[in-house]
Amino acid sequence: MNRVSPPKVVVIGAGIAGAACARALADQGFDVQVVDKARGAGGRLATRRLEWLDGEGNRRMTRFDHGAPAFRADDPAFQQFLRTAFPPDALVQWSPAGPRGKRPSGDIGSQWLPAPDMPSLCRWLLRDFTATWSFPVDRIQKGPLGWQIEAAGATLAGHFDAVVLALPPAQAAPLIAAHRGDWAQSASPVPMQPRWTLMGVARSPVNGGIGDAGQPEDGPLGWVMRNDAKPGRESRPDEAHWVAHARPAWSLEHIEQPAAWVQAQMQAALQDWLGEPILWQHAVVHRWRYAMPPSAAAGASTDAPQRFWWDGALGLGVCGDFFGSTGVEGAWQSAQALFEAMRREAAFTPPASAT
Ligand SMILES: Cc1cc2nc3c(=O)[nH]c(=O)nc-3n(C[C@H](O)[C@H](O)[C@H](O)COP(=O)(O)OP(=O)(O)OC[C@H]3O[C@@H](n4cnc5c(N)ncnc54)[C@H](O)[C@@H]3O)c2cc1C
């Protein structure tokens, strides 16, 4: 990318890795576009709107954070980013209380929570970007004028000097296979853990002692949360808004089961754990095929642990939570490391307005 004018970069994937990388590149003066197969930003920082009818036939809409419920920030650089890159009130710190007199809520600790919903973090980072949504990229090709990006026979307008893939490994592998077979071979076997997630509205329990969140010690459920107990989320005195994530092993074992069966199992497990009947008003389950990577997945498969892949000669980069440490923090670290490598290599002078 030895040029004087701003390099044109397309970032595929608008989760936290893609959004953070795109933001850092744009702030450095790169000319950046973003595409995602979804209808908006966020990826696994996800909030779902459920429409349902209450007992009186009134139409209701309730939101559930059904992907990452919140996230930790242990790396001082990530903490600094969270403190400086967002407007006041866009992020709050949340220390969920565990159930009273039941069991400790595990090592949940202090978590960061985007407000008013989970994708707002990525929406803010991409606020002034040219973004193309509902564009499920199935081919990237390099020609004499640069990279071209295709989805279902349609081609994204323009040619690009560099492509950044910020996707889970199973989705990145087929796109990079023709260009970097070695990367595709390392990405393909990364065993991302699945999750079944239950979300639903119930009448408030009578004992009131369940707290905000907890981690059952056994059974199908690994995490249980009151979405309505989170700061900045809708709450009503007569309702409980539940989100429960099944354990990875249970999710894997039952990944192909019908949703109705999974829902019944998870509802029964939640009731058992609470020790009281739940009067459901509405509930659904969501299947995450690629929820979380095992720790240091892609780095662990190579001699030198890596946080990203970057091929400057090709102008091709890959980042995401499957490098290095896991979760939202790991995804950000990977994106930041890829950005630094691209910045170092791009021999161009950012305009004075770029930070
Ligand atoms: C149920 C659940 C619980 C979790 N709990 C936690 C937690 O407690 N703490 C924590 O830190 N993390 C947690 N995580 C993990 C965390 O959400 C992820 O590590 C992080 O959000 C990953 O960000 P990413 O940008 O790497 O990937 P993603 O968020 O997956 O972003 C990838 C993006 O690429 C898009 N995409 C995929 N394929 C294509 C394609 N072919 N073309 C175009 N776009 C494409 C997707 O639509 C998506 O927007 C949880 C995740 C889930 C699902």
Side-chain angles (χ1 to χ4, degrees), residues 49 66 104 111 114 118 132 136 157 164 166 175 179 223 230 237 241 245 257 261 275 282 293 299 305 335 349 353-354:
R49 290 154 46 118
H66 69 303
Q111 306 269 322
M118 300 306 286
T132 306
V164 168
L175 298 178
H179 311 285
W223 258 95
K230 289 171 146 183
H241 300 168
H245 298 300
Q257 290 284 355
W261 182 88
H282 186 73
T349 311
S353 58

Side-chain angles (χ1 to χ4, degrees), residues 72 193 292-297 320-333:
R72 292 178 62 90
Q193 298 172 344
M292 291 278 276
S295 193
D321 65 345
F322 64 106
F323 290 98
S325 53
T326 56
V328 176
E329 181 171 53
W332 178 84
Q333 288 170 325

Side-chain angles (χ1 to χ4, degrees), residues 12-18 35-38 42-45 66-72 135-137 166-168 171 175 195 197 223 245 288 291-292 320-321 327-329 331:
I12 304 172
I16 184 62
V35 302
D36 198 293
K37 68 177 183 179
R44 280 169 276 161
L45 285 172
H66 69 303
F71 55 87
R72 292 178 62 90
F135 200 81
V137 177
L167 313 171
Q171 288 158 327
L175 298 178
R195 290 280 193 293
T197 297
W223 258 95
H245 298 300
W288 293 99
M292 291 278 276
D321 65 345
V328 176
E329 181 171 53

